[in-house]
Amino acid sequence: MKNKVTKIGVLSSGGDSPGMNAAIRAVVRTALYNGIEVCAIMKGYTGMVEDDIVPMDSRSVANIIQRGGTILKTSRCLEFFEPEGRKKAYENLKKHGINGLVIIGGDGSFRGAQIFSNEYDIPCIGLPGTIDKDIAGTDFTIGFDTAVNTAVEAIDKIRDTAEAHDRLFIIEVMGRDAGYIALHSGISTGAENILIPERKTVIEDIITQLAEKERRQKLVNIIVVAEGDEFGGAEEVAKVVRERLPLMEIRVCILGHIQRGGSPSCMDRVLASRMGYHAVECLVEGRHNVFVGIVNNKMNYTPLNEAVKKKQRISDEWMKIVKILAS
Ligand code: F6P
């Protein structure tokens, strides 16, 4: 028989993403509804290790659903990945009487939760909070929709200038290991090429396509590059294109951290609210050490031990769509 969870700690970890606050709000209010106390663990796993843990009530999460970032702050805590750090964290949780955890973050944060839950008797529930959407076991992650819409808005604006000056724009979006932001923002802005880490970039093919377009007097082109593309990002691509097609007017634009901030979209707020609610339900029902995802609009629970092994895949059909629509 699993012990009843009476007091939970909630934390956000890794890169912030829009909608994390909506998830925190949902966790706090659902826990209180179930008669469970809640504590904020500040700055991700750092707060666990350094005992930066404070009680929360319903008012602590008032007026935050519309705010980007995370009121709990976040960090990437290396100490937690050492046994000593996790021992300190456990002792601090015990001291506060915390017997359940909700961790909002990406794959690195889930890895921390997986190791911790295998070592100690405190159940952990993960909520996928990352703009990258690179976690297998969920169709969407909290923050992806907002981030990709920020990128789309920016690329649409850049296209106006590309059109006015007959230029090629090479636009770099975020995604260290994952091409989802590039893929979605590129398709929805009609990009001619989309370069992502999941596919090999054959620069010769891109040069050939651009040369053919130049010949046809198609001078407005948008290439969207994920920062983690193996060819090396937008500047690298631009360097080669400039050398090979010297008559083409080229500009590079790196969108950077504007993609991480801002008020979450309706979709991210709803997603975060549903996931936050279900995270607490998992703790109440004894469904421990899983992360809450959404698949075909239904909640999906993946054991943390499995979650850390799988990567989200991009099917070839996506790449076919990109190619056909950009011709
Ligand atoms: O994981 C989210 C993400 O925004 C990646 O897309 C990006 O590579 C990374 O975080 C940037 O991290 P930092 O803000 O620490 O530079």
Side-chain angles (χ1 to χ4, degrees), residues 4-7 29-38 280 284:
K4 199 167 171 273
V5 173
T6 52
K7 191 171 190 178
R29 295 207 168 151
T30 310
L32 295 175
Y33 172 83
N34 283 287
I36 299 172
E37 289 179 69
V38 195
V280 176
V284 170

Side-chain angles (χ1 to χ4, degrees), residues 15 76 130-132 174-176 227 257 260:
R76 295 189 170 100
T130 165
I131 64 164
D132 291 345
M174 273 191 163
R176 198 168 25 206
E227 65 176 325
H257 283 82
R260 281 250 291 271

